[in-house]
Amino acid sequence: MRLIAYTSVIFWLSVSSLQAEVSVKVGYLRQMLDRPPVLSNLDPVPDDLGLAGAQVGLADNQTTGGFLGHEYTLSHTDVPVGGDVLAAARDMLAVSSLLIVDAPAAALLRIADMPEAQGAILLNVAAADVALRNADCRANVFHTLPSDAMRADALMQFLVKKKWVRLAMISGAHDKDAALADVFRASAEKYGLSIAAEKAWNFDTDMRRNAAQEVPVFTQDLGDHDVLLVADTRDDYGRYIPYNTWLARPVVGTEGVVPAAWSPVVEQWGAAQLQSRFTDGAGRTMRPQDYAAWAAIRTIGEAVTRTGSAAPDVLRAYILSDEFELAGFKGRSMSFRKWNGQLRQPIPLSTSRALVAQAPLEGFLHQRNELDSLGLDQPESQCTAYED
Amino acid sequence: MKKTLTLLGMLLATPSYAEEIWVTNEKDDTISVIDVATLEVTRTIPTGERPRGITFSHDFSRVYICASDSDAVQVMDPETGKILNDLPSGEDPEQFVLHPDDRHLYIANEDDAVTTVVDVETRKVVAQINVGIEPEGMAVSPDGSTVIATSETTNMAHWINTESHEIFANTLVESRPRHAEFTHDGAALWVSSEIGGTISVFDTETQAELADMKFEVQGVHLDRVQPVGFEFTEDGKTAFVALGPSNHVAVVNAETYEVEDYILVGRRVWHMAFSADKSLLFTTNGVSGDVTVIDVARREAVKSIKVGRFPWGAALRP
């Protein structure tokens, strides 16, 4: 299997060197992060998170490119914690105007606002912040990672469908947890659900030993509810909530049934093939950020394939046109929202063992595209950078 | 006459006289055999893992089955249901086409971006041809000179010269091509694109695109109208097109490329096969786990037949 894969890459190289009419250089810029310790080390964040997805997307593009005389290369730069991300971005943009950015929102915005980045295509694969698709949007930034709002809306559609309408919520002390809790509140309201009780997770004890004692007491005063929402963005305490609650209630959010861009349990719509291509290459299962990076490089590939050009302005116009469609192994054609550059996509809701549902769920209609029932829709978006 | 024959066949209890539709059940590792006369499942035959593509040899003495997860094409005796042997198929064979010489199978290896050519007599691999990512649809021109492989992620139809086993043309199609067929006269190639929602028609001589058909099912969002398998009627004037999760089959005028009708069938309809006299059409419905029988003349679904889990391929055994 491996051997065949390498052979085909060599085959591609020899073909493309003969007839490379279009050369497509893509950069992958990653801001390394200082990750604070979490309660359990059971699921470490992989070193190649995101990047491994880009590699699979690159190989997909290269195969197609081999038949068309289009050559794709991916260069990758890691900026250490505290390093100069702008200098790194400047260096990469000097080589290519197609840049995948794997960095928090603040760094992404600083890169997008550099003079060197004007006219470039930046693809955000790591920051799910709603603001980046709203008032803080930039005309040179596309988002292949779904926003928190898209994931929250997917979850709320599921809860409505299940008639689990009385919610309780636990959120962590981290800023990101608070931000996600805000998104959950807004989304619940959008779908007519109420969050009756909320508590902040404020333990500094080692839950691995005493979750069975602490969590029932902690959840006892939430009152009656149908379902418990958890906002634990750092994957810190959430794993200790299910089966330890005072009432026997399902857990959803960042734990239990989780809405995400991708999950290793997605297997329909040809997804099994993408999963196995990824696992063969990376030696692990595919995560949401890997999927976003795969979709980013495939977006470029699809636009280059259809336009025969690597010029950023040509690609941008095509990506935002009605002709653009990306087959993303989630059963529906994916495309970009013209008002904020977000890739519209189905959101799988899954446990660690199986797909539970996939949003948009049946019955949630939209006048233009059912996928636009997830996340910021045109009328509510405050993004103006995309207006011509 | 046909009825008498069928009756005779039943009386003699020799299944070889009964006209049958063979259906592969992807998630049951079985084949369901449907008797065309009674429209009932008469046999369920175990296969290798994840059977999908299915086709008979020209004399119907052997049936070839893509056992995708067993990484083999199995050769079965349709009389006994016994596996005679496995053919070396390459990894993850999904779909294939039997060359008019009745001897060479062209197999799409979905995981390997390869088309494998196997000689069914010597059981040897004759050639492997690099194609796009996730090859699936396979077609052969009536004169046998050209084989088509379509690749789902590369979004191309690859035109393979069957003498040299080399690709002589690549044509872009819309997103996620699934199935390809030449028209009976060989003049045109049809390719369905699941995510693109279209069927593209190409001129065989020039590989130029002749037409692009779109489908619209009342009350179903366009995203869910996903063309997959299709078949032409004997006169070549009409095509029946499975539209996946829209749960409909479209009836297309193959001369004007206009859709004349939509027929409601089971859920996520994949592929199909005609009865010998072409009066009935059997569609495999993956999600509902059944086969819909369509009266071709009346363009109506007349019966649902429960088969195994995730029925995928279908083939006629007259």
Side-chain angles (χ1 to χ4, degrees):
Chain A
M1 176 67 200
R2 265 298 163 79
L3 190 64
I4 291 172
Y6 284 129
T7 322
S8 60
V9 170
I10 292 161
F11 159 81
W12 164 75
L13 285 172
S14 58
V15 168
S16 60
S17 57
L18 289 174
Q19 53 167 45
E21 294 156 12
V22 181
S23 170
V24 188
K25 295 191 176 83
V26 184
Y28 190 103
L29 176 63
R30 180 162 64 160
Q31 166 76 68
M32 305 304 278
L33 299 176
D34 206 3
R35 294 184 197 277
V38 293
L39 286 172
S40 166
N41 294 322
L42 285 174
D43 295 302
V45 177
D47 290 337
D48 59 352
L49 182 65
L51 192 60
Q55 302 284 11
V56 174
L58 176 73
D60 288 358
N61 285 356
Q62 285 173 336
T63 305
T64 308
F67 295 108
L68 297 169
H70 300 165
E71 187 183 12
Y72 293 87
T73 50
L74 181 70
S75 60
H76 152 229
T77 303
D78 280 342
V79 180
V81 177
D84 188 348
V85 70
L86 293 188
R90 202 169 286 126
D91 289 348
M92 295 193 90
L93 286 166
V95 179
S96 170
S97 297
L98 307 172
L99 186 62
I100 296 172
V101 183
D102 178 348
L108 173 68
L109 286 178
R110 288 167 64 209
I111 295 167
D113 290 340
M114 294 193 318
E116 292 86 348
Q118 306 316 306
I121 293 180
L122 308 181
L123 295 129
N124 166 29
V125 298
D129 310 56
V130 180
L132 289 174
R133 287 80 172 165
N134 208 11
D136 285 347
C137 74
R138 297 291 186 273
N140 53 356
V141 180
F142 289 95
H143 313 272
T144 54
L145 190 73
S147 66
D148 284 338
M150 289 166 72
R151 294 190 299 123
D153 286 353
L155 181 58
M156 297 308 159
Q157 288 190 358
F158 171 68
L159 298 185
V160 168
K161 191 90 177 175
K162 297 296 292 180
K163 299 196 174 72
W164 294 345
V165 295
R166 292 175 305 160
L167 281 55
M169 179 161 71
I170 301 174
S171 60
H174 194 269
D175 288 350
K176 287 202 140 186
D177 294 352
L180 183 61
D182 281 342
V183 174
F184 279 152
R185 281 184 209 103
S187 179
E189 193 183 342
K190 174 175 171 182
Y191 282 96
L193 304 173
S194 64
I195 302 181
E198 291 188 31
K199 284 194 87 170
W201 184 264
N202 53 6
F203 287 83
D204 49 13
T205 50
D206 186 348
M207 272 300 141
R208 284 173 299 178
R209 294 203 177 78
N210 53 13
Q213 283 92 50
E214 300 287 355
V215 175
V217 180
F218 179 74
T219 54
Q220 190 174 8
D221 55 357
L222 283 170
D224 198 9
H225 51 275
D226 297 326
V227 62
L228 180 59
L229 202 52
V230 174
D232 171 27
T233 55
R234 293 185 308 143
D235 194 17
D236 183 21
Y237 61 88
R239 70 172 73 230
Y240 300 108
I241 305 292
Y243 304 104
N244 280 320
T245 50
W246 181 255
L247 297 173
R249 294 293 178 269
V251 172
V252 300
T254 55
E255 199 60 47
V257 174
V258 179
W262 193 252
S263 156
V265 302
V266 175
E267 55 183 346
Q268 264 200 57
W269 312 109
Q273 274 74 50
L274 178 60
Q275 303 276 26
S276 67
R277 280 209 299 286
F278 183 89
T279 307
D280 286 346
R284 61 176 177 84
T285 54
M286 192 173 192
R287 299 190 176 200
Q289 207 170 313
D290 299 313
Y291 180 82
W294 174 85
I297 198 154
R298 282 290 302 124
T299 293
I300 293 169
E302 189 61 26
V304 171
T305 299
R306 302 291 170 179
T307 61
S309 168
D313 54 333
V314 175
L315 299 182
R316 185 179 189 277
Y318 183 78
I319 290 169
L320 287 173
S321 73
D322 290 337
E323 276 73 53
F324 181 87
E325 56 184 12
L326 187 63
F329 302 94
K330 295 200 276 192
R332 283 174 184 244
S333 169
M334 310 199 306
S335 54
F336 285 85
R337 291 181 180 148
K338 292 184 195 351
W339 57 92
N340 65 2
Q342 169 70 52
L343 182 66
R344 51 167 75 89
Q345 56 191 294
I347 304 287
L349 295 137
S350 57
T351 68
S352 60
R353 295 266 299 157
L355 185 74
V356 177
Q358 181 165 289
L361 276 86
E362 212 175 327
F364 292 94
L365 303 175
H366 191 279
Q367 66 275 20
R368 179 179 40 240
N369 185 327
E370 283 168 18
L371 293 175
D372 287 342
S373 65
L374 305 173
L376 283 175
D377 199 2
Q378 193 160 16
E380 54 193 344
S381 165
Q382 293 163 36
C383 174
T384 54
Y386 268 80
E387 288 167 9
D388 288 322
Chain B
M1 175 63 187
K2 183 178 144 278
K3 251 199 179 130
T4 327
L5 267 184
T6 315
L7 194 65
L8 187 67
M10 277 167 25
L11 285 174
L12 291 172
T14 40
S16 59
Y17 282 95
E19 181 185 343
E20 295 168 338
I21 298 290
W22 286 47
V23 172
T24 52
N25 300 309
E26 193 183 338
K27 293 258 161 115
D28 262 357
D29 300 350
T30 57
I31 285 169
S32 298
V33 179
I34 296 168
D35 186 311
V36 172
T38 63
L39 300 184
E40 273 166 17
V41 174
T42 53
R43 276 188 290 170
T44 302
I45 304 169
T47 65
E49 289 174 42
R50 202 175 178 203
R52 288 192 278 181
I54 178 166
T55 197
F56 283 87
S57 63
H58 291 181
D59 64 0
F60 296 93
S61 66
R62 282 159 299 167
V63 56
Y64 303 105
I65 304 145
C66 286
S68 301
D69 286 357
S70 299
D71 296 332
V73 166
Q74 299 187 306
V75 187
M76 185 185 280
D77 177 348
E79 288 295 325
T80 63
K82 290 224 167 71
I83 302 292
L84 300 172
N85 56 268
D86 283 359
L87 294 172
S89 66
E91 277 200 52
D92 196 19
E94 175 163 6
Q95 180 64 293
F96 50 20
V97 66
L98 183 61
H99 193 271
D101 68 10
D102 200 22
R103 182 161 176 181
H104 291 96
L105 274 177
Y106 287 73
I107 304 165
N109 296 119
E110 191 172 26
D111 266 2
D112 270 358
V114 165
T115 292
T116 301
V117 190
V118 174
D119 183 327
V120 299
E121 280 173 28
T122 63
R123 300 181 206 166
K124 294 231 160 71
V125 172
V126 177
Q128 283 204 312
I129 303 145
N130 285 312
V131 294
I133 304 274
E134 294 171 38
E136 170 155 341
M138 300 294 301
V140 61
S141 60
D143 66 3
S145 67
T146 305
V147 159
I148 302 293
T150 67
S151 44
E152 289 177 44
T153 292
T154 299
N155 300 327
M156 278 183 185
H158 307 284
W159 302 65
I160 299 166
N161 179 318
T162 53
E163 297 250 315
S164 65
H165 292 134
E166 277 171 15
I167 294 176
F168 65 90
N170 296 291
T171 42
L172 277 171
V173 294
E174 291 213 39
S175 264
R176 226 175 150 71
R178 279 286 196 171
H179 190 78
E181 292 275 346
F182 282 92
T183 51
H184 294 327
D185 61 5
L189 172 75
W190 289 34
V191 179
S192 65
S193 295
E194 183 180 35
I195 293 292
T198 58
I199 285 186
S200 307
V201 183
F202 295 95
D203 180 80
T204 307
E205 265 318 292
T206 63
Q207 294 96 45
E209 191 168 335
L210 299 173
D212 200 18
M213 281 170 254
K214 290 207 180 287
F215 303 89
E216 269 180 49
V217 181
Q218 179 87 38
V220 180
H221 193 273
L222 268 184
D223 273 7
R224 297 178 68 84
V225 181
Q226 303 181 351
V228 270
F230 56 89
E231 291 289 334
F232 296 103
T233 51
E234 197 152 35
D235 61 9
K237 287 182 178 161
T238 308
F240 286 80
V241 182
L243 296 176
S246 74
N247 311 333
H248 280 76
V249 167
V251 186
V252 176
N253 183 320
E255 287 160 346
T256 64
Y257 307 129
E258 270 162 25
V259 183
E260 295 177 344
D261 237 323
Y262 291 99
I263 303 163
L264 182 64
V265 295
R267 293 175 62 201
R268 200 172 183 196
V269 52
W270 270 116
H271 288 285
M272 58 188 75
F274 282 106
S275 61
D277 65 0
K278 306 267 181 180
S279 67
L280 297 175
L281 181 65
F282 297 77
T283 71
T284 56
N285 311 318
V287 172
S288 50
D290 52 24
V291 163
T292 302
V293 186
I294 292 172
D295 181 319
V296 172
R298 284 163 51 208
R299 297 182 177 179
E300 270 177 28
V302 291
K303 193 177 178 189
S304 292
I305 303 166
K306 184 74 193 149
V307 291
R309 291 194 296 174
F310 282 75
W312 197 92
L316 166 72
R317 181 181 178 227

